[in-house]
Amino acid sequence: MRLAPALHRLGNDLVAAHLIVTPDGITLVDAGLPGFYADLVREMDAIGRPLTDIRGVVLTHGDVDHVGCSERLRRDLGIPVYVHAADADRARGGDKPKTPVGPMRPGPLLGFAAYAIRKGMRPQWLTEVHEVADGDELDLPGRPRVIGMPGHSPGSIAVFSPAVRAVFVGDALTTRHVLTGRRGPAPAPFTDDPAEALASLARIEDLDADWVLPGHGPAFHGSPSAAVSAVRAAARA
């Protein structure tokens, strides 16, 4: 799905990953679930680019529904995978599974579970990662910059690309709550430290961007400050 000329999305409103597409190559931000490999192949075919044009995968954190097919890309094509040092062990499968916290509704929960099963919830953990830190600017298409966003996990990050005027936020916030079906910017479920995650939103609030792209929910076409304000309002409700 094309969001903008250099910005594409894989998946749907339940689980999403994103591509920064430039003439010099492509950066994949998050890799969804393992079954996203087929979605990636189709998207790359649609835009007329080979998988080898992907120069790197940047993970917003190390949970299974973001690690996705990144190990296959690394193993089969030698594409490097970047993750914050504090989530490197999690991306290798070293963390215990998360448990949901907060309200749930059976319909949305079952819909999310069914989609996850269809796309392959069995983890394909990474065996090799390139560790990054807050403030790093990566030598990848779109010149993505790492912004530390601890809370959802210790090594959660946002990925800011001025080249496409987008900030990829992973699970720092959601625009479709997978456990309740609620739409609109809000705190994400399965968060290790909800208070810290809410405080971390200040780190993207003043970015000059037109898109805020979460791992779950539709793209937010607006400023990061507007998205953050909406999340804070939802947290107070």
Side-chain angles (χ1 to χ4, degrees):
M1 176 183 178
R2 178 175 140 165
L3 299 173
L7 200 55
H8 292 245
R9 185 178 82 161
L10 302 175
N12 58 19
D13 289 355
L14 290 173
V15 181
H18 297 90
L19 296 167
I20 300 171
V21 181
T22 78
D24 297 327
I26 293 170
T27 297
L28 175 62
V29 183
D30 284 330
L33 291 156
F36 269 46
Y37 187 86
D39 298 282
L40 178 60
V41 169
R42 283 193 295 270
E43 187 70 17
M44 295 292 283
D45 284 345
I47 63 176
R49 303 285 289 268
L51 283 176
T52 51
D53 271 5
I54 300 173
R55 302 291 185 246
V57 183
V58 186
L59 301 181
T60 59
H61 58 292
D63 287 345
V64 60
D65 53 345
H66 294 259
V67 170
C69 62
S70 57
E71 171 64 8
R72 184 172 179 181
L73 294 170
R74 188 207 64 77
R75 182 193 66 219
D76 294 353
L77 299 171
I79 297 170
V81 182
Y82 300 83
V83 65
H84 191 282
D87 261 32
D89 186 56
R90 186 178 296 227
R92 296 187 185 101
D95 254 13
K96 294 180 180 178
K98 293 188 172 191
T99 55
V101 176
M104 289 181 280
R105 294 173 55 208
L109 175 59
L110 290 173
F112 176 60
Y115 181 76
I117 290 169
R118 182 159 60 89
K119 288 295 183 181
M121 196 65 179
R122 183 177 180 181
Q124 296 178 8
W125 298 115
L126 285 156
T127 56
E128 181 181 322
V129 300
H130 294 263
E131 296 184 1
V132 300
D134 178 44
D136 286 353
E137 184 175 295
L138 305 180
D139 186 19
L140 292 172
R143 304 300 299 183
R145 176 158 58 89
V146 174
I147 301 173
M149 300 282 288
H152 184 76
S153 66
S156 284
I157 63 170
V159 180
F160 176 47
S161 173
V164 292
R165 297 188 58 78
V167 56
F168 307 84
V169 296
D171 287 1
L173 60 87
T174 185
T175 54
R176 177 178 174 175
H177 197 292
V178 297
L179 301 181
T180 67
R182 181 192 183 280
R183 292 180 177 271
F190 299 101
T191 290
D192 290 357
D193 188 331
E196 185 178 35
L198 201 60
S200 286
L201 292 174
R203 306 212 62 211
I204 64 168
E205 191 170 11
D206 295 330
L207 293 177
D208 184 17
D210 298 324
W211 294 92
V212 178
L213 302 172
H216 306 279
F220 183 89
H221 195 188
S223 69
S225 62
V228 169
S229 293
V231 175
R232 289 173 178 155
R236 292 192 298 266

